[in-house]
Amino acid sequence: MLYTSTRNNSIRVSAAQAIAQGISEEGGLFVPCELPEFSMDKIGSMVNMTYIERAKTVLREFLTDFTDDELDYCVNGAYAANKFSSSKIAPVVNVNGNENILELWHGPTCAFKDMALQLLPYLMTVSAKKTADGKTIVILVATSGDTGKAALEGFKNVENTKILVFYPAFGVSPMQKLQMTTQEGENVAVCAINGNFDDAQSSVKSIFTNDEIKSQLATKNMMFSSANSINWGRLVPQIVYYFSAYADLIEQGRIKLGDEINVVVPTGNFGNILAGYYAKKMGLPIKKLVCASNTNNILTDFLNTGEYDKNREFYTTTSPSMDILISSNLERLLYHMSGEDDKLITKLMSSLNSDGRYTVSKELISNIQTVFDAGFCDEKSVADTIHKYEKDFDYLCDTHTAVAVKVYENYVERTGDDIATVIDSTASPYKFSKSVLSAVNGSLNADLDEFDAVSELNRVSGVNVPEPLKELKDKEIRFTDVCNKENMSEMVFKLLEL
């Protein structure tokens, strides 16, 4: 299988090249030139497989330049039993009727990003040996909270890599900040920026495509790559868990092979829900992909109107991993749904960069709406949903999952479409313990520090606290750097000690 760029579809690269490089030279994102097709028989065969076997079944189709031994090395290493707190890796939990929660946070950093970022370092290592000629790969990451820690944990002490993570100084939860600033590893560095996630992400993209900076790195035998979902190696592992969830629903007797399901995803950078789109295009019987936004509802507006406009107020919410106004992976969807029109994508992304907005044709947005639905959830509804599900169903969900659950309820009420549904749960509630505790007990808990809130949430809910979060309490803070978005390139060189 070969890959091309959303902004220049004459390009052809291997999977290893796409993963090692991260982003195309002209700023486009790598996408597969064609998608594999999975028959119902092939999907049915996954029912009796382990998660590792399911992952190999899917990934083998995309990583055709990886040998079977290389694929085994990557997948077995990523999803080893000692890394995940559930033997199912990504278990599906029925909560209420046709409502099924796909828990994607049982990995070492307690967020769904582990599903990809435990695998990406293995993919990157193999890819670099094939394509990077012994260079040290500098992984440059912008994070709204969860990607940063998951990438740091995945890449720590990986040979021939360095990883630099930038996060918004006041745009992550206290637990997310602690996870990053206490990170162990000889090849890691972390820096806060005075700005929001979009500022960090835009600066990272500009550094990636800056020829002068790349040349300076090249003199030190270094090259940039990305662990954000702009990297195909971050996105392709996420396709796996939609097939896995479908197989689990069959195994649980909740659906029969061939039955359609709906999928609801709390969405920020659009990568997680895009993976669901790829699964659908490959043959997984997904009827509707429901995009759930928080108060920063730019995706809801776009999917309902065809106008994408980031010139709006930015809200800092209790679901910070979704506090995003530039959803990078939407570019990939627009490329596919426009008939692979790279010139259109270049024009739209140029308009977004210069004017902060673009509008697609009525035909294009109509095509998108045949696959996607969208809704958003305000802060009060997030808290009310957490409270309701803990009280009525004895299920404790985090703030991001609550956004998806509420949008799902609104979708069913609006459409009557209540077939079996998978709702992505993207983080442990203990990563946002103060917000979740406030929702559960109806008070602000302003006097509690982060770990007092964890203990109290554990007491009132009875839900176990993940070990990786318990261990943070007494860890030493290693990283305290802060920079302005305009100075990120200088900070890159400082953190690399160049």
Side-chain angles (χ1 to χ4, degrees):
M1 178 178 285
L2 295 176
Y3 293 80
T4 189
S5 168
T6 53
R7 302 186 197 179
N8 180 0
N9 63 17
S10 67
I11 288 172
R12 293 293 183 272
V13 299
S14 67
Q17 182 67 42
I19 291 167
Q21 192 172 325
I23 190 170
S24 190
E25 293 287 347
E26 80 295 335
L29 306 185
F30 289 117
V31 292
C33 292
E34 58 185 5
L35 289 170
E37 294 182 9
F38 277 34
S39 66
M40 279 303 118
D41 286 344
K42 189 165 187 174
I43 294 169
S45 72
M46 292 188 196
V47 173
N48 296 319
M49 293 182 182
T50 65
Y51 190 87
I52 284 176
E53 291 167 338
R54 292 168 181 173
K56 290 176 185 177
T57 300
V58 173
L59 295 173
R60 189 174 288 115
E61 303 294 328
F62 289 98
L63 308 176
T64 54
D65 52 334
F66 283 53
T67 67
D68 285 344
D69 285 346
E70 287 170 338
L71 189 62
D72 287 347
Y73 161 75
C74 293
V75 177
N76 292 341
Y79 301 119
N82 64 332
K83 293 185 176 182
F84 286 79
S85 61
S86 169
S87 61
K88 297 287 287 184
I89 308 298
V92 176
V93 179
N94 181 263
V95 176
N96 178 35
N98 277 331
E99 199 172 332
N100 304 281
I101 305 289
L102 174 59
E103 293 183 345
L104 297 169
W105 44 263
H106 288 277
T109 76
C110 309
F112 84 101
K113 306 297 174 74
D114 288 326
M115 300 300 299
L117 283 165
Q118 282 301 300
L119 182 60
L120 182 60
Y122 291 93
L123 299 179
M124 189 78 75
T125 301
V126 173
S127 297
K129 286 178 181 176
K130 294 176 182 292
T131 65
D133 299 324
K135 289 185 174 67
T136 295
I137 296 182
V138 179
I139 311 294
L140 200 56
V141 178
T143 185
S144 54
D146 287 334
T147 289
K149 172 60 182 177
L152 289 162
E153 189 65 24
F155 278 96
K156 74 175 181 183
N157 296 327
V158 172
E159 287 187 8
N160 300 317
T161 67
K162 294 182 180 292
I163 177 164
L164 314 179
V165 170
F166 293 88
Y167 71 93
F170 302 102
V172 300
S173 78
M175 190 67 82
Q176 288 174 313
K177 182 177 179 179
L178 263 178
Q179 284 187 300
M180 290 185 282
T181 56
T182 61
Q183 177 65 46
E184 299 170 348
E186 294 301 312
N187 63 335
V188 307
V190 178
C191 182
I193 73 155
N194 294 311
N196 57 38
F197 169 75
D198 292 320
D199 296 324
Q201 180 171 244
S202 296
S203 295
V204 163
K205 283 183 177 178
S206 68
I207 292 169
F208 263 117
T209 53
N210 185 306
D211 290 334
E212 183 180 345
I213 294 174
K214 287 191 293 184
S215 294
Q216 287 181 266
L217 249 63
T219 65
K220 303 295 183 180
N221 203 33
M222 293 178 173
M223 62 178 279
F224 281 131
S225 191
S226 173
N228 285 94
S229 55
I230 56 175
N231 189 318
W232 178 251
R234 247 293 301 280
L235 191 55
V236 69
Q238 297 179 268
I239 299 171
V240 174
Y241 50 68
Y242 292 107
F243 283 94
S244 183
Y246 190 84
D248 282 347
L249 290 178
I250 295 172
E251 186 180 28
Q252 294 172 13
R254 304 197 181 278
I255 61 171
K256 294 183 176 64
L257 181 64
D259 286 352
E260 286 190 317
I261 63 169
N262 288 326
V263 172
V264 186
V265 186
T267 309
N269 219 11
F270 209 76
N272 202 358
I273 197 166
L274 182 66
Y277 168 79
Y278 283 129
K280 174 180 170 67
K281 296 298 286 184
M282 291 165 64
L284 194 68
I286 296 174
K287 180 181 178 185
K288 212 76 170 181
L289 290 153
V290 181
C291 177
S293 300
N294 64 14
T295 309
N296 292 294
N297 62 335
I298 188 167
L299 285 169
T300 305
D301 287 348
F302 171 73
L303 291 169
N304 286 330
T305 68
E307 181 181 9
Y308 195 100
D309 187 351
K310 76 178 185 70
N311 303 307
R312 59 176 68 205
E313 187 172 354
F314 177 87
Y315 297 97
T316 301
T317 73
T318 56
S319 48
S321 297
M322 300 162 67
D323 291 345
I324 294 173
L325 293 180
I326 303 175
S327 300
S328 290
N329 278 290
L330 188 59
E331 177 174 341
R332 283 184 166 114
L333 179 72
L334 293 170
Y335 175 79
H336 293 301
M337 297 292 277
S338 67
E340 304 176 352
D341 188 342
D342 56 346
K343 291 182 176 58
L344 172 65
I345 303 309
T346 300
K347 179 182 175 184
L348 294 177
M349 294 307 118
S350 176
S351 179
L352 180 64
N353 186 52
S354 60
D355 304 327
R357 63 166 66 90
Y358 60 78
T359 302
V360 302
S361 68
K362 289 183 178 178
E363 180 184 10
L364 178 51
I365 194 61
S366 178
N367 288 340
I368 291 171
Q369 287 167 349
T370 64
V371 180
F372 289 85
D373 199 279
F376 78 98
C377 176
D378 61 27
E379 289 290 85
K380 182 179 185 304
S381 296
V382 169
D384 289 347
T385 301
I386 292 170
H387 181 86
K388 172 186 172 183
Y389 272 68
E390 200 278 331
K391 178 174 178 288
D392 293 351
F393 307 120
D394 195 28
Y395 190 86
L396 189 67
C397 60
D398 89 295
T399 46
H400 305 74
T401 308
V403 169
V405 168
K406 181 58 179 175
V407 168
Y408 165 72
E409 290 181 343
N410 293 344
Y411 171 79
V412 172
E413 185 177 344
R414 174 165 48 85
T415 66
D417 182 14
D418 63 349
I419 62 172
T421 298
V422 169
I423 301 173
D424 285 10
S425 178
T426 54
S428 163
Y430 286 103
K431 292 198 76 167
F432 310 93
S433 53
K434 271 198 171 184
S435 297
V436 174
L437 178 62
S438 296
V440 169
N441 66 15
S443 63
L444 291 177
N445 308 295
D447 56 329
L448 298 180
D449 71 17
E450 191 68 13
F451 291 98
D452 289 337
V454 167
S455 297
E456 181 63 11
L457 184 57
N458 172 247
R459 186 189 70 79
V460 300
S461 71
V463 174
N464 291 333
V465 182
E467 288 298 324
L469 300 184
K470 279 185 189 177
E471 294 167 358
L472 284 174
K473 186 172 184 180
D474 299 314
K475 288 191 76 171
E476 176 188 358
I477 291 176
R478 295 184 63 201
F479 302 105
T480 57
D481 282 322
V482 184
C483 72
N484 294 324
K485 61 183 180 180
E486 297 84 3
N487 306 121
M488 275 179 58
S489 57
E490 291 93 330
M491 182 57 72
V492 165
F493 287 103
K494 176 186 174 183
L495 296 177
L496 289 173
E497 300 178 349
L498 297 178

PDB file of all heavy atoms in Angstrom, residues 282-307:
ATOM      1  N   MET A 282     -13.940   0.688   5.056  1.00  0.00           N
ATOM      2  CA  MET A 282     -13.350  -0.635   4.859  1.00  0.00           C
ATOM      3  C   MET A 282     -14.392  -1.753   4.907  1.00  0.00           C
ATOM      4  O   MET A 282     -14.084  -2.897   4.592  1.00  0.00           O
ATOM      5  CB  MET A 282     -12.278  -0.890   5.920  1.00  0.00           C
ATOM      6  CG  MET A 282     -11.040  -0.028   5.751  1.00  0.00           C
ATOM      7  SD  MET A 282      -9.996  -0.022   7.243  1.00  0.00           S
ATOM      8  CE  MET A 282      -9.491  -1.751   7.312  1.00  0.00           C
ATOM      9  N   GLY A 283     -15.616  -1.421   5.353  1.00  0.00           N
ATOM     10  CA  GLY A 283     -16.671  -2.424   5.371  1.00  0.00           C
ATOM     11  C   GLY A 283     -17.318  -2.660   6.715  1.00  0.00           C
ATOM     12  O   GLY A 283     -18.274  -3.436   6.814  1.00  0.00           O
ATOM     13  N   LEU A 284     -16.829  -2.019   7.775  1.00  0.00           N
ATOM     14  CA  LEU A 284     -17.469  -2.186   9.080  1.00  0.00           C
ATOM     15  C   LEU A 284     -18.846  -1.535   9.024  1.00  0.00           C
ATOM     16  O   LEU A 284     -18.964  -0.390   8.591  1.00  0.00           O
ATOM     17  CB  LEU A 284     -16.616  -1.553  10.177  1.00  0.00           C
ATOM     18  CG  LEU A 284     -17.001  -1.946  11.613  1.00  0.00           C
ATOM     19  CD1 LEU A 284     -16.696  -3.419  11.869  1.00  0.00           C
ATOM     20  CD2 LEU A 284     -16.270  -1.075  12.639  1.00  0.00           C
ATOM     21  N   PRO A 285     -19.912  -2.251   9.451  1.00  0.00           N
ATOM     22  CA  PRO A 285     -21.279  -1.722   9.282  1.00  0.00           C
ATOM     23  C   PRO A 285     -21.613  -0.591  10.267  1.00  0.00           C
ATOM     24  O   PRO A 285     -22.371  -0.760  11.214  1.00  0.00           O
ATOM     25  CB  PRO A 285     -22.169  -2.949   9.538  1.00  0.00           C
ATOM     26  CG  PRO A 285     -21.284  -4.135   9.482  1.00  0.00           C
ATOM     27  CD  PRO A 285     -19.942  -3.654   9.942  1.00  0.00           C
ATOM     28  N   ILE A 286     -21.021   0.556  10.031  1.00  0.00           N
ATOM     29  CA  ILE A 286     -21.329   1.753  10.820  1.00  0.00           C
ATOM     30  C   ILE A 286     -22.344   2.580  10.046  1.00  0.00           C
ATOM     31  O   ILE A 286     -22.109   2.955   8.898  1.00  0.00           O
ATOM     32  CB  ILE A 286     -20.059   2.583  11.096  1.00  0.00           C
ATOM     33  CG1 ILE A 286     -19.073   1.792  11.967  1.00  0.00           C
ATOM     34  CG2 ILE A 286     -20.420   3.907  11.779  1.00  0.00           C
ATOM     35  CD1 ILE A 286     -17.729   2.491  12.166  1.00  0.00           C
ATOM     36  N   LYS A 287     -23.467   2.845  10.683  1.00  0.00           N
ATOM     37  CA  LYS A 287     -24.528   3.626  10.038  1.00  0.00           C
ATOM     38  C   LYS A 287     -24.205   5.117  10.100  1.00  0.00           C
ATOM     39  O   LYS A 287     -24.216   5.814   9.091  1.00  0.00           O
ATOM     40  CB  LYS A 287     -25.868   3.335  10.715  1.00  0.00           C
ATOM     41  CG  LYS A 287     -27.047   4.102  10.134  1.00  0.00           C
ATOM     42  CD  LYS A 287     -28.334   3.761  10.892  1.00  0.00           C
ATOM     43  CE  LYS A 287     -29.521   4.548  10.360  1.00  0.00           C
ATOM     44  NZ  LYS A 287     -30.738   4.291  11.189  1.00  0.00           N
ATOM     45  N   LYS A 288     -23.944   5.614  11.283  1.00  0.00           N
ATOM     46  CA  LYS A 288     -23.707   7.048  11.473  1.00  0.00           C
ATOM     47  C   LYS A 288     -22.553   7.254  12.445  1.00  0.00           C
ATOM     48  O   LYS A 288     -22.434   6.576  13.460  1.00  0.00           O
ATOM     49  CB  LYS A 288     -24.962   7.719  12.036  1.00  0.00           C
ATOM     50  CG  LYS A 288     -25.151   9.153  11.587  1.00  0.00           C
ATOM     51  CD  LYS A 288     -25.646   9.209  10.152  1.00  0.00           C
ATOM     52  CE  LYS A 288     -26.083  10.625   9.764  1.00  0.00           C
ATOM     53  NZ  LYS A 288     -26.576  10.678   8.380  1.00  0.00           N
ATOM     54  N   LEU A 289     -21.686   8.196  12.123  1.00  0.00           N
ATOM     55  CA  LEU A 289     -20.633   8.654  13.014  1.00  0.00           C
ATOM     56  C   LEU A 289     -21.082   9.988  13.601  1.00  0.00           C
ATOM     57  O   LEU A 289     -21.303  10.958  12.862  1.00  0.00           O
ATOM     58  CB  LEU A 289     -19.323   8.820  12.247  1.00  0.00           C
ATOM     59  CG  LEU A 289     -18.670   7.518  11.787  1.00  0.00           C
ATOM     60  CD1 LEU A 289     -17.824   7.745  10.543  1.00  0.00           C
ATOM     61  CD2 LEU A 289     -17.820   6.922  12.899  1.00  0.00           C
ATOM     62  N   VAL A 290     -21.245  10.022  14.910  1.00  0.00           N
ATOM     63  CA  VAL A 290     -21.776  11.211  15.574  1.00  0.00           C
ATOM     64  C   VAL A 290     -20.616  11.943  16.247  1.00  0.00           C
ATOM     65  O   VAL A 290     -19.966  11.419  17.150  1.00  0.00           O
ATOM     66  CB  VAL A 290     -22.850  10.854  16.611  1.00  0.00           C
ATOM     67  CG1 VAL A 290     -23.403  12.130  17.257  1.00  0.00           C
ATOM     68  CG2 VAL A 290     -23.974  10.053  15.947  1.00  0.00           C
ATOM     69  N   CYS A 291     -20.364  13.145  15.785  1.00  0.00           N
ATOM     70  CA  CYS A 291     -19.269  13.975  16.280  1.00  0.00           C
ATOM     71  C   CYS A 291     -19.772  14.811  17.451  1.00  0.00           C
ATOM     72  O   CYS A 291     -20.684  15.629  17.292  1.00  0.00           O
ATOM     73  CB  CYS A 291     -18.775  14.876  15.147  1.00  0.00           C
ATOM     74  SG  CYS A 291     -17.475  16.020  15.615  1.00  0.00           S
ATOM     75  N   ALA A 292     -19.178  14.601  18.637  1.00  0.00           N
ATOM     76  CA  ALA A 292     -19.617  15.284  19.860  1.00  0.00           C
ATOM     77  C   ALA A 292     -18.596  16.342  20.257  1.00  0.00           C
ATOM     78  O   ALA A 292     -17.426  16.029  20.461  1.00  0.00           O
ATOM     79  CB  ALA A 292     -19.801  14.274  20.983  1.00  0.00           C
ATOM     80  N   SER A 293     -19.036  17.589  20.358  1.00  0.00           N
ATOM     81  CA  SER A 293     -18.160  18.692  20.743  1.00  0.00           C
ATOM     82  C   SER A 293     -18.572  19.264  22.088  1.00  0.00           C
ATOM     83  O   SER A 293     -19.730  19.122  22.512  1.00  0.00           O
ATOM     84  CB  SER A 293     -18.219  19.821  19.698  1.00  0.00           C
ATOM     85  OG  SER A 293     -17.806  19.381  18.425  1.00  0.00           O
ATOM     86  N   ASN A 294     -17.619  19.940  22.754  1.00  0.00           N
ATOM     87  CA  ASN A 294     -17.981  20.682  23.959  1.00  0.00           C
ATOM     88  C   ASN A 294     -18.363  22.107  23.545  1.00  0.00           C
ATOM     89  O   ASN A 294     -18.753  22.336  22.394  1.00  0.00           O
ATOM     90  CB  ASN A 294     -16.846  20.619  24.993  1.00  0.00           C
ATOM     91  CG  ASN A 294     -15.548  21.290  24.517  1.00  0.00           C
ATOM     92  OD1 ASN A 294     -15.518  22.034  23.531  1.00  0.00           O
ATOM     93  ND2 ASN A 294     -14.467  21.021  25.231  1.00  0.00           N
ATOM     94  N   THR A 295     -18.229  23.064  24.454  1.00  0.00           N
ATOM     95  CA  THR A 295     -18.652  24.433  24.148  1.00  0.00           C
ATOM     96  C   THR A 295     -17.883  25.013  22.962  1.00  0.00           C
ATOM     97  O   THR A 295     -18.388  25.902  22.266  1.00  0.00           O
ATOM     98  CB  THR A 295     -18.473  25.327  25.396  1.00  0.00           C
ATOM     99  OG1 THR A 295     -19.107  24.693  26.512  1.00  0.00           O
ATOM    100  CG2 THR A 295     -19.108  26.687  25.191  1.00  0.00           C
ATOM    101  N   ASN A 296     -16.674  24.525  22.717  1.00  0.00           N
ATOM    102  CA  ASN A 296     -15.929  24.919  21.503  1.00  0.00           C
ATOM    103  C   ASN A 296     -16.458  24.095  20.331  1.00  0.00           C
ATOM    104  O   ASN A 296     -15.822  23.154  19.868  1.00  0.00           O
ATOM    105  CB  ASN A 296     -14.433  24.679  21.715  1.00  0.00           C
ATOM    106  CG  ASN A 296     -13.846  25.605  22.746  1.00  0.00           C
ATOM    107  OD1 ASN A 296     -13.789  26.809  22.560  1.00  0.00           O
ATOM    108  ND2 ASN A 296     -13.409  25.038  23.870  1.00  0.00           N
ATOM    109  N   ASN A 297     -17.620  24.489  19.853  1.00  0.00           N
ATOM    110  CA  ASN A 297     -18.402  23.630  18.949  1.00  0.00           C
ATOM    111  C   ASN A 297     -18.190  23.942  17.474  1.00  0.00           C
ATOM    112  O   ASN A 297     -19.105  23.897  16.661  1.00  0.00           O
ATOM    113  CB  ASN A 297     -19.888  23.731  19.301  1.00  0.00           C
ATOM    114  CG  ASN A 297     -20.445  25.136  19.120  1.00  0.00           C
ATOM    115  OD1 ASN A 297     -19.700  26.096  19.182  1.00  0.00           O
ATOM    116  ND2 ASN A 297     -21.735  25.236  18.903  1.00  0.00           N
ATOM    117  N   ILE A 298     -16.946  24.215  17.109  1.00  0.00           N
ATOM    118  CA  ILE A 298     -16.643  24.573  15.724  1.00  0.00           C
ATOM    119  C   ILE A 298     -16.955  23.420  14.773  1.00  0.00           C
ATOM    120  O   ILE A 298     -17.448  23.629  13.659  1.00  0.00           O
ATOM    121  CB  ILE A 298     -15.174  25.031  15.586  1.00  0.00           C
ATOM    122  CG1 ILE A 298     -14.914  25.599  14.181  1.00  0.00           C
ATOM    123  CG2 ILE A 298     -14.181  23.921  15.931  1.00  0.00           C
ATOM    124  CD1 ILE A 298     -13.606  26.358  14.066  1.00  0.00           C
ATOM    125  N   LEU A 299     -16.712  22.182  15.192  1.00  0.00           N
ATOM    126  CA  LEU A 299     -16.992  21.035  14.324  1.00  0.00           C
ATOM    127  C   LEU A 299     -18.493  20.832  14.140  1.00  0.00           C
ATOM    128  O   LEU A 299     -18.949  20.480  13.047  1.00  0.00           O
ATOM    129  CB  LEU A 299     -16.351  19.770  14.894  1.00  0.00           C
ATOM    130  CG  LEU A 299     -14.836  19.670  14.709  1.00  0.00           C
ATOM    131  CD1 LEU A 299     -14.270  18.523  15.542  1.00  0.00           C
ATOM    132  CD2 LEU A 299     -14.477  19.475  13.237  1.00  0.00           C
ATOM    133  N   THR A 300     -19.257  21.043  15.199  1.00  0.00           N
ATOM    134  CA  THR A 300     -20.715  20.940  15.081  1.00  0.00           C
ATOM    135  C   THR A 300     -21.239  21.937  14.059  1.00  0.00           C
ATOM    136  O   THR A 300     -22.039  21.597  13.185  1.00  0.00           O
ATOM    137  CB  THR A 300     -21.391  21.198  16.442  1.00  0.00           C
ATOM    138  OG1 THR A 300     -20.838  20.308  17.407  1.00  0.00           O
ATOM    139  CG2 THR A 300     -22.895  20.975  16.357  1.00  0.00           C
ATOM    140  N   ASP A 301     -20.756  23.160  14.170  1.00  0.00           N
ATOM    141  CA  ASP A 301     -21.187  24.189  13.220  1.00  0.00           C
ATOM    142  C   ASP A 301     -20.802  23.811  11.797  1.00  0.00           C
ATOM    143  O   ASP A 301     -21.605  23.952  10.861  1.00  0.00           O
ATOM    144  CB  ASP A 301     -20.566  25.540  13.590  1.00  0.00           C
ATOM    145  CG  ASP A 301     -21.204  26.156  14.827  1.00  0.00           C
ATOM    146  OD1 ASP A 301     -22.269  25.658  15.256  1.00  0.00           O
ATOM    147  OD2 ASP A 301     -20.637  27.116  15.371  1.00  0.00           O
ATOM    148  N   PHE A 302     -19.566  23.342  11.608  1.00  0.00           N
ATOM    149  CA  PHE A 302     -19.128  22.986  10.263  1.00  0.00           C
ATOM    150  C   PHE A 302     -19.960  21.837   9.696  1.00  0.00           C
ATOM    151  O   PHE A 302     -20.426  21.904   8.547  1.00  0.00           O
ATOM    152  CB  PHE A 302     -17.650  22.588  10.246  1.00  0.00           C
ATOM    153  CG  PHE A 302     -17.233  22.011   8.918  1.00  0.00           C
ATOM    154  CD1 PHE A 302     -17.080  22.833   7.813  1.00  0.00           C
ATOM    155  CD2 PHE A 302     -17.056  20.650   8.759  1.00  0.00           C
ATOM    156  CE1 PHE A 302     -16.745  22.313   6.579  1.00  0.00           C
ATOM    157  CE2 PHE A 302     -16.714  20.110   7.529  1.00  0.00           C
ATOM    158  CZ  PHE A 302     -16.549  20.941   6.430  1.00  0.00           C
ATOM    159  N   LEU A 303     -20.148  20.794  10.468  1.00  0.00           N
ATOM    160  CA  LEU A 303     -20.867  19.626   9.955  1.00  0.00           C
ATOM    161  C   LEU A 303     -22.341  19.920   9.702  1.00  0.00           C
ATOM    162  O   LEU A 303     -22.992  19.230   8.921  1.00  0.00           O
ATOM    163  CB  LEU A 303     -20.714  18.453  10.933  1.00  0.00           C
ATOM    164  CG  LEU A 303     -19.292  17.866  11.002  1.00  0.00           C
ATOM    165  CD1 LEU A 303     -19.161  16.900  12.160  1.00  0.00           C
ATOM    166  CD2 LEU A 303     -18.920  17.177   9.687  1.00  0.00           C
ATOM    167  N   ASN A 304     -22.850  20.963  10.325  1.00  0.00           N
ATOM    168  CA  ASN A 304     -24.250  21.348  10.085  1.00  0.00           C
ATOM    169  C   ASN A 304     -24.409  22.377   8.979  1.00  0.00           C
ATOM    170  O   ASN A 304     -25.475  22.465   8.366  1.00  0.00           O
ATOM    171  CB  ASN A 304     -24.870  21.895  11.377  1.00  0.00           C
ATOM    172  CG  ASN A 304     -25.165  20.791  12.386  1.00  0.00           C
ATOM    173  OD1 ASN A 304     -25.439  19.654  12.007  1.00  0.00           O
ATOM    174  ND2 ASN A 304     -25.095  21.110  13.663  1.00  0.00           N
ATOM    175  N   THR A 305     -23.348  23.155   8.686  1.00  0.00           N
ATOM    176  CA  THR A 305     -23.507  24.270   7.741  1.00  0.00           C
ATOM    177  C   THR A 305     -22.527  24.239   6.566  1.00  0.00           C
ATOM    178  O   THR A 305     -22.791  24.858   5.528  1.00  0.00           O
ATOM    179  CB  THR A 305     -23.302  25.626   8.459  1.00  0.00           C
ATOM    180  OG1 THR A 305     -21.920  25.745   8.860  1.00  0.00           O
ATOM    181  CG2 THR A 305     -24.203  25.743   9.686  1.00  0.00           C
ATOM    182  N   GLY A 306     -21.382  23.599   6.730  1.00  0.00           N
ATOM    183  CA  GLY A 306     -20.355  23.632   5.692  1.00  0.00           C
ATOM    184  C   GLY A 306     -19.400  24.793   5.827  1.00  0.00           C
ATOM    185  O   GLY A 306     -18.455  24.932   5.049  1.00  0.00           O
ATOM    186  N   GLU A 307     -19.592  25.641   6.844  1.00  0.00           N
ATOM    187  CA  GLU A 307     -18.684  26.765   7.082  1.00  0.00           C
ATOM    188  C   GLU A 307     -17.797  26.465   8.289  1.00  0.00           C
ATOM    189  O   GLU A 307     -18.298  26.151   9.370  1.00  0.00           O
ATOM    190  CB  GLU A 307     -19.450  28.071   7.323  1.00  0.00           C
ATOM    191  CG  GLU A 307     -18.518  29.256   7.547  1.00  0.00           C
ATOM    192  CD  GLU A 307     -19.252  30.564   7.818  1.00  0.00           C
ATOM    193  OE1 GLU A 307     -20.482  30.531   8.011  1.00  0.00           O
ATOM    194  OE2 GLU A 307     -18.579  31.614   7.848  1.00  0.00           O
TER     195      GLU A 307
END
